[in-house]
Amino acid sequence: MPATPGAAPPLVDQHCHSVVASELSSSAFASLLTESDRPPAPGATPWDGALGLAVRRWCAPELDLPAFASPEAYLERRRELGAAEATRRLLRRSGLAACLVDTGLTEAAGVPLLTPDELGGLAGADVHEIVRIERVAELATPGTTAAGWSDAVRSALRRATRHAVGLKSVIAYRHGLDFDPARPSAAETTRAAGEYLDEGGGRLRHPVLLRQLLWEALELGLPLQLHTGFGDPDLTLHRTDPSLLTDFVRAAEPLGTPLVLLHGWPYHRQAAWLAQAFPTVHCDLGLALGHVGTGARRVLAETLELAPFHKLLFSTDAYGLPELYRVGAAAFTDALDSWLAEAVPVPAEAARIAGLIGGGNAQKLYKLPAVDSVSR
Amino acid sequence: MPATPGAAPPLVDQHCHSVVASELSSSAFASLLTESDRPPAPGATPWDGALGLAVRRWCAPELDLPAFASPEAYLERRRELGAAEATRRLLRRSGLAACLVDTGLTEAAGVPLLTPDELGGLAGADVHEIVRIERVAELATPGTTAAGWSDAVRSALRRATRHAVGLKSVIAYRHGLDFDPARPSAAETTRAAGEYLDEGGGRLRHPVLLRQLLWEALELGLPLQLHTGFGDPDLTLHRTDPSLLTDFVRAAEPLGTPLVLLHGWPYHRQAAWLAQAFPTVHCDLGLALGHVGTGARRVLAETLELAPFHKLLFSTDAYGLPELYRVGAAAFTDALDSWLAEAVPVPAEAARIAGLIGGGNAQKLYKLPAVDSVSR
Amino acid sequence: MPATPGAAPPLVDQHCHSVVASELSSSAFASLLTESDRPPAPGATPWDGALGLAVRRWCAPELDLPAFASPEAYLERRRELGAAEATRRLLRRSGLAACLVDTGLTEAAGVPLLTPDELGGLAGADVHEIVRIERVAELATPGTTAAGWSDAVRSALRRATRHAVGLKSVIAYRHGLDFDPARPSAAETTRAAGEYLDEGGGRLRHPVLLRQLLWEALELGLPLQLHTGFGDPDLTLHRTDPSLLTDFVRAAEPLGTPLVLLHGWPYHRQAAWLAQAFPTVHCDLGLALGHVGTGARRVLAETLELAPFHKLLFSTDAYGLPELYRVGAAAFTDALDSWLAEAVPVPAEAARIAGLIGGGNAQKLYKLPAVDSVSR
């Protein structure tokens, strides 16, 4: 993927969600600037954090405002332009050649998300699908029996992934990464499915079924993304340390299925070691780079202490707001450029490494069609 | 809390201890420069660390010496001036408008500490009290029965906090933060109190009583500070990770009592996530910023990766030496200025955020009377 | 150890392994640039990481190439010069006055290592021996009985350490640092030895025997190095956190035997706290500084946040490639110089601290004969 002179190498966003293109209230907009799902403390606003500053830094100029315009001025200008135009500008300026969209979420702050095709159209990017396995299993559950649960889920996974390039698990939320790495026996699974069905199915949190589902997913051979590290208050941080996955990584290694550790923060160094130690393991910094603002340079540099260049992948983990695409892409590009300037003072080498991390690794891992350079 | 032009915004030190204003031997002075309570290794001195350098950097000029004067020259000049004058200078130059003093410790290196009022007088700062709950419980124990322990402790807490603005727990030392988050039943508490009384009371380490005490404290509604992260060799570091408190935070959330995670290092990123995820959680870097010397810029920046600006509070955790006030305040101010210069290149915004973290958040959280700007 | 004007202070490499001085295939060379023991993923090369860049940065000029020469050009030039000459240049330019060689490994990538004396001759450095205790125990096992195992191991340790300056344990690999800190009883040890012998002896992984061995080692009084933090895929990262050793440190404290925590990354801040809190604990960053490339400045600075200057020791943990000596020494020197420039702007003080960390601490701890300054 050689860089065309004068053009930025195409970015492949290997893990993202769709956005809302209709108007959002000020409070709905703000609620998408924090991982908290609680109302803010009295007098506080989610704008007052590193991500809020990053939106003001990188996005205000796209809406013709000076950098660091106030939140009020930003939202006013956004309404003036119209949400659709603001969304188009922000997505287009993110410089994405392709997006791998996790289709497991369909709304944000109560408002429906764009379809993946609509998203791709506005972004000017190819769109590919990542299937969230817990959601597939939940949808496949009604009408099954305990003994038939595994087969039903396996069939549903095959159907759901016919056009997908990868899978994703949120076992970090549903249980934590400290699960028993062994594949459950058929008898265990049936017993667990019975317990789950007796409770009416629904949100899948049964540890045995979550494990069984992971093992079914591994057999499909598609890259399996795993949420690790921080997220919303549903998770318990120390139970999302990717190092807790080590025995699972070992058990899964003979299958050869690629594993992609998402986010990682504040355990991104642990993810980097796993990516160096095990050929099947890859990592990204999706949710982290956008959220940490100017800290992105440090977080990326800490990851590159040990992560091999062919194992780290760019993503934004954007969700709900097109601003998160722009911020995620800008934070990544700025942080990587800063690291390369110090670590790789040879332009051609720096461009090669930037190409791998920015998109080349994803293109190869997910077997994507070739993408062209994009002008940003 | 708008900044007066030409004046530094007032700092509110939300967690500190009193100091010794009388002469200290060289070895007693040195012993207060380390978290170790053991004699130093042969040939070693606690001056030889980041905190020792920070004292030489920030405090020597206050005693009319060049920065980085030798420890010997520093101590000689300190004796020449007299401990009282040195203490006055160092405290006054820390620029504190108010101090929240943990009154649970009454001496350092075997020498009595100033009373809070004496401390405030020398520092030119308002003084408020933080009550250490384990000490209240220990003092309330003699003469109680197992069945009466809870009531006795509850009454003692109410009496002890009549004039206090907050509470503090050192369960990180007494047990570790990996405690059962559930409130103990009355029967459990009585049984545990019986065991504790049978052993003669004294230092409170019984896990059930420590938990019961925390729940009693939560009901008072005052902000509850919790030691997390590093400290002296009495604690086991990985058991002080604030993420271990997550289920307790969840269980306590309905009460609405603010929780303040102190210190955090090396788990300050974990504390920052908790502060973003849960409205009740706040954090500081008290013990850390002074101790880590020039590393304060990095530690503060790592915290601000995720901590909301209205959730981070300044403190020094100074104890014993007035030098620790000066160093704590200088390290904080330097680190925050450095972060703001990079992250918030808009002076008015930078001043607003500095005001929140330096004192405004504490003023609101602890319902303190308004303080004026101070000249430093 | 005063610095001679115009000469660098002598470096004492307190933990290293020998190197291969004969020709290596390109793939064997590359395999020594990663902690993974698996074949690289298709299309990937271990050169593409921070360590590969560091070799190109620091070593290419020693072979008369420009910095950042390509891997192919580097290996071609290395063969042209001959492995022996390249090895001599790289070792000699590492500026080592003394090496403490862990003699537990005897080959790398299937090729025999130089003897310690050969290594020292090429490096122009004094050589001292560090004995790997698990290997001694394994070699002492054949022919023993369960009841005689402890005595046999104790005798073997005494024989093996007659000329050694220190010991090393890899219990982090064989079990993890989350072992029971108590000394096993004689009956427990005999029972465990019986189980081990019934399985034919060999690689020692029995938790009871590993613990018994550690306690035998402590009694010799020589400094005991412990692997902590990252390494090859045999270990599970979160089980190598040195904080897990805290109760063992406490239990061992009365014996007074120095403990040296090696590597530490990504738990080097935890190691630094242990070194401050406990007089017996020291730490190094051996494996880390070479591997993390330009990240060495940050990793060293994070360690110096809390590590006392008389408790941190330089090492390279070089193994197999003489390049790892050159990179380890250069990364350390560059990182320390950078930290000193910021934290200690007084040349004489900076030189004193550099002397302690670079070699003075090791000289004292291992009771080494005096070394002279070396010209680099």
Side-chain angles (χ1 to χ4, degrees):
Chain A
M1 203 171 60
T4 312
L11 291 176
V12 176
D13 188 343
Q14 74 116 21
H15 180 74
C16 54
H17 308 267
S18 191
V19 300
V20 171
S22 50
E23 304 296 336
L24 286 164
S25 70
S26 297
S27 65
F29 188 99
S31 75
L32 292 167
L33 292 177
T34 172
E35 280 300 307
S36 188
D37 54 7
R38 272 68 164 171
T45 162
W47 279 97
D48 262 346
L51 176 57
L53 288 177
V55 168
R56 293 164 64 188
R57 174 190 294 268
W58 299 108
C59 301
E62 305 298 354
L63 309 194
D64 313 316
L65 294 172
F68 295 100
S70 73
E72 295 71 30
Y74 184 83
L75 292 176
E76 190 186 322
R77 173 64 182 154
R78 200 181 193 276
R79 285 188 200 106
E80 191 179 280
L81 275 174
E85 168 63 10
T87 298
R88 194 194 61 77
R89 287 191 188 189
L90 292 163
L91 289 177
R92 191 60 63 120
R93 289 283 296 168
S94 302
L96 303 179
C99 295
L100 278 55
V101 183
D102 168 359
T103 51
L105 302 174
T106 55
E107 58 172 50
V111 183
L113 300 174
L114 295 180
T115 66
D117 283 346
E118 290 168 335
L119 176 77
L122 284 176
D126 294 344
V127 169
H128 305 280
E129 187 182 4
I130 299 289
V131 169
R132 192 183 280 223
I133 61 174
E134 288 82 7
R135 185 172 159 85
V136 171
E138 285 160 1
L139 294 174
T141 293
T144 60
T145 62
W149 189 85
S150 258
D151 284 347
V153 165
R154 188 178 311 121
S155 302
L157 275 177
R158 288 190 194 282
R159 277 193 309 277
T161 56
R162 241 173 326 192
H163 305 293
V165 297
L167 305 171
K168 179 190 174 186
S169 168
V170 291
I171 193 169
Y173 277 101
R174 301 300 180 84
H175 177 279
L177 301 180
D178 48 351
F179 58 85
D180 178 351
R183 182 166 194 151
S185 69
E188 272 181 286
T189 304
T190 299
R191 193 165 49 242
E195 292 164 4
Y196 173 57
L197 291 168
D198 283 352
E199 289 177 0
R203 192 170 169 80
L204 185 66
R205 300 193 83 109
H206 198 299
V208 172
L209 300 188
L210 290 167
R211 284 161 54 204
Q212 172 64 16
L213 181 59
L214 274 183
W215 281 97
E216 291 291 348
L218 285 176
E219 296 214 333
L220 295 179
L222 291 174
L224 175 62
Q225 302 180 341
L226 291 139
H227 182 107
T228 72
F230 85 117
D232 72 49
D234 244 20
L235 59 75
T236 297
L237 198 52
H238 63 276
R239 297 181 64 189
T240 69
D241 178 348
S243 175
L244 296 168
L245 287 171
T246 310
D247 282 335
F248 176 70
V249 169
R250 289 185 180 117
E253 207 174 359
L255 291 178
T257 304
L259 303 175
V260 187
L261 310 176
L262 304 176
H263 321 313
W265 188 101
Y267 309 107
H268 42 286
R269 279 171 161 157
Q270 282 84 333
W273 176 77
L274 287 163
Q276 173 168 126
F278 297 96
T280 49
V281 176
H282 304 68
C283 59
D284 89 356
L285 289 164
L287 187 59
L289 293 191
H291 270 262
V292 302
T294 50
R297 292 183 177 191
R298 183 174 43 251
V299 171
L300 181 70
E302 288 173 354
T303 304
L304 284 168
E305 288 173 1
L306 228 64
F309 306 149
H310 48 278
K311 291 296 200 72
L312 181 61
L313 293 88
F314 162 69
S315 85
T316 61
D317 198 36
Y319 163 61
L321 299 179
E323 278 81 358
L324 303 185
Y325 277 98
R326 179 72 185 103
V327 164
F332 166 76
T333 303
D334 173 74
L336 186 59
D337 285 353
S338 162
W339 185 83
L340 290 168
E342 191 186 354
V344 195
V346 180
E349 265 299 79
R352 183 182 69 85
I353 294 169
L356 289 173
I357 300 175
N361 292 334
Q363 210 169 354
K364 184 168 170 183
L365 184 64
Y366 297 99
K367 302 186 169 63
L368 307 182
V371 289
D372 291 327
S373 292
V374 293
S375 57
R376 264 176 283 172
Chain B
M1 204 173 60
T4 311
L11 291 176
V12 176
D13 188 343
Q14 72 116 22
H15 180 74
C16 53
H17 308 267
S18 191
V19 300
V20 171
S22 51
E23 304 295 338
L24 286 166
S25 69
S26 298
S27 65
F29 188 98
S31 75
L32 292 166
L33 293 177
T34 173
E35 280 299 306
S36 188
D37 55 6
R38 272 69 165 172
T45 162
W47 279 96
D48 262 346
L51 175 57
L53 287 176
V55 168
R56 293 164 65 188
R57 173 189 295 267
W58 300 108
C59 302
E62 305 298 355
L63 308 193
D64 314 315
L65 294 173
F68 296 99
S70 73
E72 296 69 31
Y74 184 84
L75 292 176
E76 190 186 320
R77 173 63 183 155
R78 202 180 192 275
R79 284 189 201 105
E80 191 179 280
L81 276 173
E85 169 63 10
T87 298
R88 196 193 60 76
R89 288 191 186 189
L90 292 163
L91 289 177
R92 191 59 63 120
R93 289 283 295 167
S94 301
L96 303 179
C99 296
L100 278 56
V101 182
D102 169 0
T103 51
L105 300 174
T106 54
E107 57 171 52
V111 183
L113 300 175
L114 295 179
T115 66
D117 284 346
E118 291 168 334
L119 177 77
L122 284 175
D126 294 345
V127 168
H128 305 281
E129 187 182 5
I130 299 289
V131 169
R132 190 183 282 222
I133 61 175
E134 287 82 7
R135 185 171 158 85
V136 171
E138 285 160 1
L139 294 174
T141 293
T144 61
T145 61
W149 189 85
S150 259
D151 285 346
V153 165
R154 188 178 312 122
S155 304
L157 275 178
R158 289 191 193 282
R159 277 192 309 276
T161 57
R162 241 174 326 193
H163 305 294
V165 297
L167 305 171
K168 177 189 175 186
S169 168
V170 290
I171 193 171
Y173 277 102
R174 300 300 180 83
H175 176 277
L177 301 180
D178 47 352
F179 56 87
D180 178 351
R183 183 168 192 150
S185 69
E188 271 181 287
T189 304
T190 299
R191 193 164 50 242
E195 291 163 6
Y196 173 56
L197 292 168
D198 282 353
E199 288 178 0
R203 191 171 171 79
L204 185 65
R205 301 192 82 109
H206 198 297
V208 173
L209 301 187
L210 290 167
R211 284 161 53 205
Q212 172 63 16
L213 181 59
L214 273 183
W215 281 97
E216 291 291 347
L218 285 177
E219 296 214 333
L220 295 179
L222 292 173
L224 175 61
Q225 303 180 341
L226 291 139
H227 181 108
T228 72
F230 85 116
D232 73 47
D234 244 20
L235 59 75
T236 297
L237 198 53
H238 63 277
R239 297 182 63 189
T240 69
D241 178 348
S243 174
L244 296 168
L245 287 171
T246 310
D247 282 334
F248 176 70
V249 169
R250 290 185 180 117
E253 207 175 359
L255 291 177
T257 304
L259 303 175
V260 187
L261 309 177
L262 304 176
H263 321 313
W265 188 101
Y267 309 106
H268 43 287
R269 280 171 161 157
Q270 281 84 334
W273 175 77
L274 287 163
Q276 172 168 125
F278 296 97
T280 50
V281 176
H282 303 69
C283 59
D284 90 355
L285 289 163
L287 186 59
L289 293 191
H291 269 262
V292 302
T294 50
R297 293 183 177 192
R298 183 174 44 249
V299 171
L300 181 70
E302 288 172 355
T303 304
L304 284 168
E305 288 172 1
L306 229 62
F309 306 150
H310 49 277
K311 291 296 200 73
L312 181 61
L313 293 88
F314 162 68
S315 85
T316 62
D317 198 36
Y319 163 60
L321 299 180
E323 277 80 359
L324 302 184
Y325 276 99
R326 179 73 185 103
V327 163
F332 167 75
T333 303
D334 173 74
L336 186 59
D337 285 352
S338 161
W339 185 83
L340 290 167
E342 190 185 355
V344 195
V346 180
E349 265 298 78
R352 183 181 70 84
I353 294 169
L356 290 174
I357 301 175
N361 292 334
Q363 210 170 354
K364 184 169 171 184
L365 184 64
Y366 297 100
K367 303 184 168 61
L368 307 182
V371 290
D372 292 326
S373 292
V374 294
S375 57
R376 264 177 283 172
Chain C
M1 202 172 61
T4 311
L11 292 176
V12 177
D13 187 343
Q14 72 117 22
H15 180 73
C16 54
H17 308 267
S18 191
V19 300
V20 170
S22 51
E23 305 296 336
L24 286 165
S25 71
S26 297
S27 64
F29 188 98
S31 75
L32 292 166
L33 292 178
T34 173
E35 279 300 305
S36 188
D37 55 5
R38 273 67 163 171
T45 161
W47 278 96
D48 262 346
L51 176 56
L53 286 177
V55 167
R56 293 163 65 188
R57 173 189 296 268
W58 299 108
C59 301
E62 305 299 354
L63 308 194
D64 313 316
L65 295 172
F68 296 99
S70 73
E72 296 69 32
Y74 184 83
L75 291 176
E76 189 186 321
R77 173 64 183 156
R78 200 180 193 277
R79 285 188 199 105
E80 191 179 280
L81 276 173
E85 169 63 9
T87 298
R88 195 194 61 76
R89 288 191 186 188
L90 291 163
L91 289 177
R92 191 58 64 120
R93 289 284 295 168
S94 301
L96 304 178
C99 296
L100 278 55
V101 182
D102 169 0
T103 51
L105 301 173
T106 54
E107 58 172 49
V111 183
L113 300 175
L114 295 180
T115 65
D117 283 347
E118 289 168 334
L119 177 77
L122 284 175
D126 294 345
V127 169
H128 305 280
E129 187 182 5
I130 299 289
V131 169
R132 190 183 282 222
I133 61 174
E134 287 82 8
R135 186 171 158 86
V136 171
E138 285 161 1
L139 293 174
T141 293
T144 61
T145 62
W149 188 85
S150 257
D151 284 346
V153 164
R154 188 178 313 123
S155 302
L157 275 177
R158 288 190 193 282
R159 277 193 309 277
T161 56
R162 240 173 328 193
H163 305 294
V165 297
L167 305 171
K168 178 189 174 186
S169 168
V170 290
I171 193 170
Y173 277 102
R174 301 299 180 84
H175 176 278
L177 301 180
D178 48 352
F179 56 87
D180 178 350
R183 184 167 192 150
S185 70
E188 272 181 286
T189 305
T190 299
R191 193 164 50 242
E195 291 164 6
Y196 173 56
L197 291 168
D198 283 353
E199 287 176 1
R203 192 170 170 81
L204 186 65
R205 300 192 82 110
H206 198 299
V208 173
L209 300 188
L210 289 168
R211 284 161 53 204
Q212 172 64 16
L213 181 59
L214 274 183
W215 281 96
E216 291 291 347
L218 284 177
E219 296 214 334
L220 294 179
L222 291 173
L224 175 61
Q225 304 179 340
L226 290 139
H227 182 107
T228 72
F230 85 118
D232 71 49
D234 244 19
L235 59 76
T236 298
L237 199 52
H238 63 276
R239 297 182 64 189
T240 69
D241 178 347
S243 175
L244 296 168
L245 286 172
T246 310
D247 282 334
F248 176 70
V249 168
R250 290 185 180 117
E253 206 174 359
L255 291 178
T257 304
L259 304 174
V260 187
L261 309 177
L262 304 176
H263 321 313
W265 188 100
Y267 309 106
H268 43 287
R269 279 172 162 157
Q270 282 84 333
W273 175 76
L274 287 163
Q276 172 168 124
F278 296 97
T280 49
V281 176
H282 303 69
C283 60
D284 89 356
L285 289 163
L287 187 58
L289 292 191
H291 270 262
V292 301
T294 51
R297 292 183 177 190
R298 182 173 45 248
V299 171
L300 182 69
E302 288 172 355
T303 304
L304 284 168
E305 287 173 1
L306 228 63
F309 306 150
H310 48 277
K311 291 296 200 72
L312 180 61
L313 293 89
F314 162 69
S315 85
T316 62
D317 198 37
Y319 163 61
L321 299 179
E323 278 80 358
L324 302 185
Y325 276 98
R326 179 71 185 106
V327 164
F332 166 76
T333 303
D334 173 74
L336 186 59
D337 285 352
S338 162
W339 185 84
L340 290 168
E342 191 186 354
V344 195
V346 181
E349 265 298 80
R352 183 182 70 84
I353 294 168
L356 289 174
I357 300 174
N361 292 334
Q363 208 169 356
K364 184 170 171 184
L365 184 64
Y366 297 99
K367 302 186 169 63
L368 306 182
V371 290
D372 291 326
S373 292
V374 294
S375 57
R376 263 176 285 172

